[in-house]
Amino acid sequence: MAQTIASTFTAEQAAEAEKAAQTLEALVARLGFDEDFATALKEKPRQTLADAGLVIEKESMETLMLVDAERFDKACEELFDLVDSDFLITMNVPSCG
């Protein structure tokens, strides 16, 4: 499979996908042990992620979905087990400030 990924995607795309995967996995890990972080994420998700240095970029996530759909799906399943259903809605609403 690694040979297929290498021949299908550029090194830049593979690196971008890896960065996105690591961001999702770090978010899941942090939610698993840091109750203060989880509470802050519910109240101010964008600010909390920024303060933690966890940048979620749409383009990177799209690349991850293409490069390693299984890893993306696994991380998202774990994330959705830890956040409420409004999390994505809150993340997608444009901020006013």
Side-chain angles (χ1 to χ4, degrees), residues 4 17 30:
T4 303
R30 181 94 184 253

Side-chain angles (χ1 to χ4, degrees), residues 17-42:
E18 180 63 26
K19 180 180 171 187
Q22 288 179 358
T23 298
L24 283 176
E25 292 163 357
L27 176 56
V28 168
R30 181 94 184 253
L31 283 167
F33 73 84
D34 189 339
E35 291 181 28
D36 292 336
F37 177 78
T39 299
L41 190 67
K42 286 180 186 178

Side-chain angles (χ1 to χ4, degrees), residues 1-2 5-6 13-14 25-26 28-29 31 40 46-47 50 62 66 70-74 78 84 88-89 92-94:
M1 173 125 180
I5 290 173
Q13 288 173 312
E25 292 163 357
V28 168
L31 283 167
R46 290 180 187 203
Q47 184 64 45
E62 289 171 347
L66 292 172
E70 285 183 38
R71 191 171 178 189
F72 175 80
D73 290 343
K74 181 178 184 283
E78 291 172 349
D84 64 32
L88 282 180
I89 294 168
N92 286 314
V93 174

Side-chain angles (χ1 to χ4, degrees), residues 4-88:
T4 303
I5 290 173
S7 63
T8 306
F9 300 101
T10 66
E12 183 179 308
Q13 288 173 312
E16 188 174 336
E18 180 63 26
K19 180 180 171 187
Q22 288 179 358
T23 298
L24 283 176
E25 292 163 357
L27 176 56
V28 168
R30 181 94 184 253
L31 283 167
F33 73 84
D34 189 339
E35 291 181 28
D36 292 336
F37 177 78
T39 299
L41 190 67
K42 286 180 186 178
E43 295 171 8
K44 296 181 181 181
R46 290 180 187 203
Q47 184 64 45
T48 302
L49 290 172
D51 290 348
L54 297 171
V55 179
I56 298 176
E57 298 173 348
K58 179 183 176 191
E59 295 81 14
S60 294
M61 292 300 144
E62 289 171 347
T63 302
L64 175 58
M65 286 187 276
L66 292 172
V67 172
D68 195 343
E70 285 183 38
R71 191 171 178 189
F72 175 80
D73 290 343
K74 181 178 184 283
C76 286
E77 286 177 26
E78 291 172 349
L79 177 61
F80 296 143
D81 285 343
L82 298 168
V83 296
D84 64 32
S85 60
D86 293 334
F87 176 74
L88 282 180

